[in-house]
């Protein structure tokens, strides 16, 4: 039986894996391989932690089937052709990636391997639909979410995901000389004590989905904006690393009941839709990782204040829900979606710092660091992206905190120095009378920082900067 390399990347699963299924259907013996390629961008410590444990979980699953996972590090343009020759593989299969550098690398590899006589096939595997398959009636790509979602996601026929192949036979004797498995990524024990709910790997992804279906989906429409509740799916890292496919998630949600017209189902599917929309934007406008999609913002007077950026990064702004979010991010590699919007708005509008500084920090810190989502979301908040929030929409962290964390449970979890403050002051400790602060054991400027900016004045400054930009553009 001829060998086929199955190059795993953002598809660290056995179920609903089109590349793996194609190899088996063609009578080939799959040889699974993961190449940690440092020539393309990778996330920071948190996402490396996840990848380490996801690969470990996949390795255990394969070994339980009498197989193995080749784990290599280096430049895939060198390693993959060498490995194919060493394994005497006639085919190389993979599921496609869409980030600019990765897509270009895949195209070059496909050509090089083909020139050497190796059959290469790539498949859809990580999105509901390929980014190039949907366009407006005039043939141009979408820049507004709602019509994209209605036509590209809601109208999409449900595809039943592929099961784990019943005839899965992987080769356990293909490890060539000179290709050593190595511990390419550290385990980062700082994270393990923080949140034991995370379970990287395919089994963990299925468990997270089952938990969401049984206890989260029915209340999703009301609870998804509440960081003090466990009201979101927590599937984003699993989706990013391909431990579960969006087709698996979509089919399971619809099977659970309610249909797409159910409010919670529609809200959840719209979040999957934003993931698709972000990939669509990055494919058609690869420059959005570094450049404003709306070019008028190239003249925006961003400031570059390292002290303000550091205070934001460390959760020391004096605004409790902002600080809670940034501390949650640093301690756990995760931040609730509503709080991501609040913290991002505070950085780019109240502090007037460039959105790219925030995007770099999130990219470095998030478990689910995804280039498309990260770039498109930061531009959305900053007002310079596709279908962006109006620049004058400036999240007030006090109002947001009172609305979505009314009792302050979320703030108290990550800003424990405010734990004894009454609910009415937990989002605005500077408004508390001295005797209340003293009773709660809080000394502003010592135990907890005073606000680093005035909300009203910083809002006016941001609007003045935006109005100045508009006047120059007209």
């Amino acid at each position: 039986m001829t060998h086929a390399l199955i190059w795993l990347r953002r598809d660290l699963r056995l179920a609903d894996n089109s590349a793996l299924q194609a190899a088996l259907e063609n009578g080939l013996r799959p040889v699974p391989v993961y190449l940690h390629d440092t020539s393309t961008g990778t996330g920071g410590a948190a996402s490396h932690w996840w990848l380490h444990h996801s690969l470990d979980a996949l390795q255990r699953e394969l070994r339980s089937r009498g197989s193995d996972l080749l784990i290599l590090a280096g430049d895939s343009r060198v390693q993959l052709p060498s490995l194919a020759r060493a394994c005497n593989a006639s085919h190389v299969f993979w599921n496609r990636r869409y980030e600019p550098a990765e897509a270009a690398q895949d195209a070059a590899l496909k050509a090089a391997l083909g020139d050497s006589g190796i059959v290469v096939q790539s498949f859809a595997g990580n999105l509901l639909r390929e980014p190039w398959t949907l366009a407006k009636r005039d043939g141009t790509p979408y820049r507004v979410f709602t019509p994209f979602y209605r036509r590209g996601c809601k109208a999409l026929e449900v595809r039943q995901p592929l099961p784990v192949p019943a005839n899965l036979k992987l080769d356990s004797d293909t490890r060539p000389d000179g290709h050593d498995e190595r511990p390419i990524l550290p385990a980062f024990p700082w994270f393990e004590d923080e949140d034991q709910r995370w379970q990287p790997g395919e089994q963990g992804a299925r468990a997270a989905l089952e938990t969401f279906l049984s206890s989260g989906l029915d209340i999703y429409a009301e609870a998804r904006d509440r960081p003090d509740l466990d009201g979101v799916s927590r599937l984003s890292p699993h989706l990013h690393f391909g431990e579960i496919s969006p087709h698996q998630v979509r089919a399971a949600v619809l099977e659970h009941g309610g249909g797409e017209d159910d409010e919670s189902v529609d809200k959840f599917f719209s979040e999957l839709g934003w993931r698709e929309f972000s990939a669509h934007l990055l494919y058609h406008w690869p420059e959005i990782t570094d450049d404003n999609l709306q070019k008028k913002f190239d003249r925006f007077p961003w400031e570059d204040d390292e002290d303000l950026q550091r205070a934001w990064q460390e959760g020391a702004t004096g605004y409790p829900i902002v600080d809670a979010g940034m501390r949650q991010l640093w301690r756990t590699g995760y931040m609730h979606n509503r709080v991501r919007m609040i913290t991002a708005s505070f950085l780019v509008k109240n502090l007037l710092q460039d959105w790219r500084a925030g995007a770099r920090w999130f990219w470095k810190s998030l478990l689910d660091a995804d280039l498309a989502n990260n770039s498109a979301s930061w531009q959305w908040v900053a007002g310079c992206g596709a279908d962006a929030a109006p620049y004058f929409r400036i999240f007030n962290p006090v109002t947001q905190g009172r609305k979505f964390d009314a009792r302050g449970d979320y703030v108290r979890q990550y800003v424990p120095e405010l734990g004894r403050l009454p609910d009415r002051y937990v989002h605005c400790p500077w408004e508390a009378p001295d005797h209340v602060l003293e009773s709660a054991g809080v000394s502003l400027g010592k135990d907890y920082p005073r606000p680093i900016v005035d909300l009203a004045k910083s809002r006016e400054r941001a609007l003045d900067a935006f109005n100045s930009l508009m006047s120059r553009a007209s």
Side-chain angles (χ1 to χ4, degrees), residues 2-5 31 83-92 117-119:
T2 305
H3 293 117
L5 292 186
V31 180
L83 183 62
R85 291 191 298 270
C87 292
N88 196 27
S90 60
H91 295 68
V92 176
I118 296 174
V119 177

Side-chain angles (χ1 to χ4, degrees), residues 18-226:
S18 300
L20 176 60
Q21 184 70 28
L24 294 168
E25 289 177 352
N26 283 277
L28 302 169
R29 180 65 63 84
V31 180
V33 57
Y34 180 85
L35 277 168
H36 185 63
D37 193 338
T38 55
S39 68
T40 57
T42 60
S47 64
H48 283 183
W49 177 93
W50 190 285
L51 178 58
H52 173 95
H53 289 287
S54 185
L55 290 173
D56 186 56
L58 183 58
Q59 180 72 282
R60 291 196 304 271
E61 179 65 24
L62 289 170
R63 284 177 175 168
S64 74
R65 298 170 180 272
S67 182
D68 212 346
L69 174 66
L70 295 176
I71 302 178
L72 310 174
D75 189 335
S76 61
R77 293 167 296 185
V78 176
Q79 291 274 32
L80 197 65
S82 173
L83 183 62
R85 291 191 298 270
C87 292
N88 196 27
S90 60
H91 295 68
V92 176
F93 292 161
W94 65 64
N95 294 312
R96 286 187 281 273
R97 303 177 295 183
Y98 308 97
E99 295 178 5
E102 294 176 339
Q105 185 183 78
D106 286 359
L109 267 169
K110 184 176 284 191
L113 290 167
D115 289 343
S116 63
I118 296 174
V119 177
V120 181
Q121 287 184 271
S122 62
F123 304 87
N126 300 310
L127 296 172
L128 292 173
R129 65 186 306 159
E130 303 294 75
W132 53 86
T133 63
L134 185 65
K136 296 186 294 183
R137 287 184 173 82
D138 63 2
T140 60
Y142 283 94
R143 288 177 60 136
V144 177
F145 172 72
T146 299
F148 171 89
Y149 173 60
R150 287 175 178 167
R151 186 174 171 215
C153 301
K154 291 199 71 169
L156 188 67
E157 183 178 348
V158 177
R159 174 178 76 72
Q160 289 303 313
L162 301 166
V164 176
N167 61 334
L168 185 59
K169 295 180 180 179
L170 303 177
D171 205 316
S172 60
D173 300 314
T174 56
R175 187 177 302 282
D177 293 336
H179 291 82
D180 299 319
E181 180 184 342
R182 65 194 69 185
I184 57 175
L185 299 168
F188 292 109
W190 57 264
F191 177 80
E192 295 179 8
D193 294 335
E194 290 295 339
D195 196 336
Q196 294 295 339
R197 288 180 295 174
W198 293 119
Q199 182 189 348
E202 188 170 10
Q203 290 186 13
R206 289 197 297 267
L209 178 58
E210 287 301 319
T211 298
F212 176 62
L213 294 177
S214 63
S215 61
L217 178 60
D218 292 342
I219 61 170
Y220 184 76
E222 299 81 24
R224 69 191 185 103
D225 282 322
R226 293 278 302 276

